Amino acid sequence: MAEAIKRGEKLSVLAYKKIEEMILNGELKPGERLNEHRFSVKYGLSRGPVREACRALERDGLVVSSPGRGVVVRQVTPKELYEIYDLRALLTGFMCQLAAQKCNEGGAAKLKKLNEEMKSAIEANNSEEYYKTNLEFHELIAKLAENETAHKVYNRLVKETHAHRFAVLDPEITIKQHAYIIEAIENQDADEARKRGEEHVLAGKERWLKRINEDGDGTHS
Amino acid sequence: MAEAIKRGEKLSVLAYKKIEEMILNGELKPGERLNEHRFSVKYGLSRGPVREACRALERDGLVVSSPGRGVVVRQVTPKELYEIYDLRALLTGFMCQLAAQKCNEGGAAKLKKLNEEMKSAIEANNSEEYYKTNLEFHELIAKLAENETAHKVYNRLVKETHAHRFAVLDPEITIKQHAYIIEAIENQDADEARKRGEEHVLAGKERWLKRINEDGDGTHS
DNA sequence: AATCAGTAAACTGTCAACAGTTTACTGTAG
DNA sequence: CTACAGTAAACTGTTGACAGTTTACTGATT
């Protein structure tokens, strides 16, 4: 019994979304092959739109393909992760700078609220909520920055690595660093906001580096 | 008589390259529609691979599509150009910083050589050569930076805007700014290299802003 | 002259079929 | 036991056909 994809949008778009979802929720693991024939049978559509979706996924860095061998969920190497961390730091800093230049009291208040929610989530041992609210925090900064291109580039980098569980959480440090960032934004100190935004992500990178030096491994399930 | 695409690589990849080339060399203009039926007849392949190529081009930001209406070469708005300028400045600065941290005397010498060649090209009134060597200069910085992810993101941004002739050339300033950048890289002064790299691109942005304020137009043929 | 309705052609999105390639398995030889 | 060759099934890349949508054109009405 095929799980028919609900029609309405172009099938190639729906296929993209479904495959993306499968990658982001771990159903498809890095290194794992996507069988377009089986996917099309399972979801009740022809292979054409599946192939189109795969081309898009490939350009977005979520999968890798070789002629004759279909597509495989992309495995991001430690070197790539290292590079992506630096770029995320750069972009986060940039967006914090812009947010400091552009945002009003309402924006800073919302950031504070999210950071408080993260604190509450940790105190309640709810790491799912903590993680989700952390994403919202960074999403809000990107919104306040009002540079849609930067936002897109940033999101793409985040998505490229999402299938890999490489983040080393340290809520205490994170919440504190968020508060420093908020302070700089509130004070409309763009240079300081940029610096603190970069440092925040680079701190995460250092934690990761420390962990791989202990584990000899770039990922964590 | 179809201009058959030479086979060997996947047809979808060849179609991507052909369409990309047509966009970058101005044969396909921003706002212009790509007719997949006509393209397939002209180049002697079926529509399937053309469609796959279009999905890839779309994800790369070179074209835009709407259901039922095929793909149109993307028109980049002045706001987008503004944003992209800022991101290019950010990435250029970052790569200059890395280059200053990583490169040896050979690298700086090559940059000097390219800057001299640009100077010669201008003196000989050869703007084609000047433009080409300028691209090589920036390409070399990206290479010396050794962050492939940054390089890719940068190239993508450059390509997204390439169909638009928005750059306002000022060779005298450019060559001087390149020399400042080279100096900082040679001195392995990463912070200064980053600052000078950013300023160099932001100077180009200012020239463009000045021009659109005079023309009320974001592009230039 | 401008607008609307109808019609046909062209185009786009999808499907199923075909041919070549890759994978998986089995049997044989060293 | 390992390596190689052969075979068949499954899969990938491409093609052409079909159906629905969009575009372009014509004629009628205001």
Side-chain angles (χ1 to χ4, degrees):
Chain A
M1 180 45 54
E3 308 176 31
I5 284 189
K6 195 179 91 175
R7 308 213 171 192
E9 249 172 314
K10 274 173 65 171
L11 290 184
S12 61
V13 171
L14 293 172
Y16 179 100
K17 285 177 177 175
K18 184 74 208 176
I19 296 165
E20 178 189 48
E21 183 195 318
M22 288 162 77
I23 293 172
L24 296 189
N25 74 17
E27 192 176 338
L28 277 176
K29 301 277 195 273
E32 198 170 329
R33 175 168 294 161
L34 174 74
N35 183 319
E36 65 187 48
H37 172 81
R38 262 207 295 233
F39 183 93
S40 68
V41 169
K42 182 170 183 182
Y43 293 103
L45 68 162
S46 77
R47 290 199 295 113
V50 178
R51 297 184 58 78
E52 288 183 33
C54 287
R55 294 298 79 75
L57 287 159
E58 192 179 346
R59 297 316 286 182
D60 284 348
L62 296 195
V63 301
V64 176
S65 78
S66 313
R69 300 161 135 246
V71 300
V72 170
V73 179
R74 178 174 164 211
Q75 292 177 301
V76 181
T77 65
K79 181 171 194 286
E80 284 167 333
L81 278 175
Y82 187 99
E83 290 178 354
I84 289 168
Y85 251 126
D86 281 344
L87 273 190
R88 285 176 63 175
L90 189 70
L91 287 160
T92 299
F94 178 63
M95 290 190 287
C96 288
Q97 173 183 359
L98 292 179
Q101 287 168 356
K102 297 184 182 189
C103 98
N104 52 35
E105 285 191 7
K110 282 181 199 162
L111 288 171
K112 276 187 192 175
K113 186 163 182 293
L114 286 173
N115 212 30
E116 290 299 331
E117 283 172 19
M118 283 171 72
K119 196 168 172 184
S120 302
I122 281 299
E123 282 163 356
N125 276 306
N126 188 345
S127 60
E128 189 77 25
E129 190 67 19
Y130 168 84
Y131 187 69
K132 176 170 147 288
T133 310
N134 183 48
L135 289 182
E136 282 175 42
F137 181 88
H138 284 274
E139 185 69 19
L140 180 55
I141 288 186
K143 284 270 169 43
L144 298 174
E146 294 180 347
N147 182 318
E148 189 55 32
T149 308
H151 193 181
K152 273 188 198 149
V153 172
Y154 178 84
N155 276 345
R156 189 177 214 138
L157 292 173
V158 170
K159 224 168 31 170
E160 279 188 56
T161 55
H162 194 78
H164 296 261
R165 311 296 177 187
F166 67 90
V168 183
L169 301 185
D170 185 336
E172 204 173 312
I173 296 273
T174 294
I175 287 160
K176 199 166 288 181
Q177 286 174 333
H178 282 184
Y180 286 149
I181 292 168
I182 295 166
E183 182 184 54
I185 289 173
E186 217 167 13
N187 292 339
Q188 305 192 335
D189 187 341
D191 288 340
E192 199 61 24
R194 181 177 178 168
K195 179 158 160 286
R196 291 179 188 182
E198 282 187 16
E199 281 169 354
H200 171 48
V201 177
L202 290 176
K205 174 186 158 190
E206 291 307 317
R207 291 197 295 270
W208 168 68
L209 280 174
K210 187 168 179 235
R211 222 268 308 290
I212 62 171
N213 282 332
E214 291 168 351
D215 290 2
D217 179 22
T219 62
H220 155 78
S221 1
Chain B
M1 180 46 51
E3 310 177 27
I5 284 191
K6 196 180 88 175
R7 306 208 173 196
E9 251 172 315
K10 273 172 64 168
L11 290 185
S12 61
V13 170
L14 293 172
Y16 177 100
K17 286 177 177 175
K18 185 73 209 177
I19 296 167
E20 178 190 47
E21 182 196 320
M22 288 162 78
I23 292 172
L24 296 188
N25 74 14
E27 192 175 336
L28 278 176
K29 300 280 193 273
E32 198 172 329
R33 175 168 295 160
L34 174 74
N35 182 319
E36 67 187 45
H37 172 82
R38 262 206 295 236
F39 183 93
S40 70
V41 169
K42 182 171 185 185
Y43 293 103
L45 69 162
S46 78
R47 289 199 297 112
V50 178
R51 299 184 57 77
E52 288 182 33
C54 289
R55 294 299 79 74
L57 287 159
E58 191 179 348
R59 297 316 287 185
D60 285 346
L62 297 195
V63 302
V64 176
S65 78
S66 314
R69 300 162 135 247
V71 301
V72 171
V73 178
R74 177 171 163 213
Q75 292 177 301
V76 181
T77 64
K79 181 170 194 289
E80 283 168 333
L81 278 175
Y82 186 100
E83 290 178 352
I84 289 169
Y85 251 126
D86 281 344
L87 274 188
R88 286 177 61 176
L90 189 69
L91 287 160
T92 298
F94 178 62
M95 290 190 286
C96 289
Q97 172 183 0
L98 293 179
Q101 287 168 357
K102 298 186 180 186
C103 97
N104 53 35
E105 284 190 10
K110 282 180 195 159
L111 288 170
K112 276 187 190 172
K113 185 162 184 291
L114 286 173
N115 213 31
E116 291 299 328
E117 282 172 21
M118 284 171 72
K119 196 168 173 185
S120 302
I122 281 299
E123 282 162 359
N125 277 307
N126 188 343
S127 60
E128 190 76 27
E129 189 67 19
Y130 168 83
Y131 186 70
K132 178 171 145 286
T133 309
N134 184 48
L135 289 182
E136 281 175 42
F137 181 89
H138 285 274
E139 184 69 17
L140 180 56
I141 287 186
K143 284 273 170 44
L144 297 174
E146 295 181 346
N147 183 318
E148 190 54 33
T149 307
H151 192 182
K152 274 188 196 146
V153 172
Y154 178 82
N155 277 344
R156 187 176 215 136
L157 292 173
V158 170
K159 222 165 37 169
E160 279 187 58
T161 54
H162 193 78
H164 296 261
R165 310 297 178 187
F166 67 88
V168 183
L169 301 185
D170 185 338
E172 205 173 311
I173 295 273
T174 294
I175 287 160
K176 199 168 289 182
Q177 286 175 332
H178 282 184
Y180 286 149
I181 292 169
I182 294 167
E183 181 184 54
I185 288 173
E186 220 167 10
N187 291 339
Q188 305 193 334
D189 188 341
D191 289 340
E192 199 59 24
R194 179 176 181 171
K195 180 159 160 285
R196 292 179 187 182
E198 282 187 16
E199 281 169 355
H200 170 49
V201 176
L202 291 175
K205 173 186 158 187
E206 291 306 316
R207 292 197 295 271
W208 167 67
L209 281 173
K210 188 169 179 229
R211 223 271 305 291
I212 61 172
N213 281 333
E214 288 167 355
D215 291 2
D217 180 19
T219 61
H220 155 79
S221 8

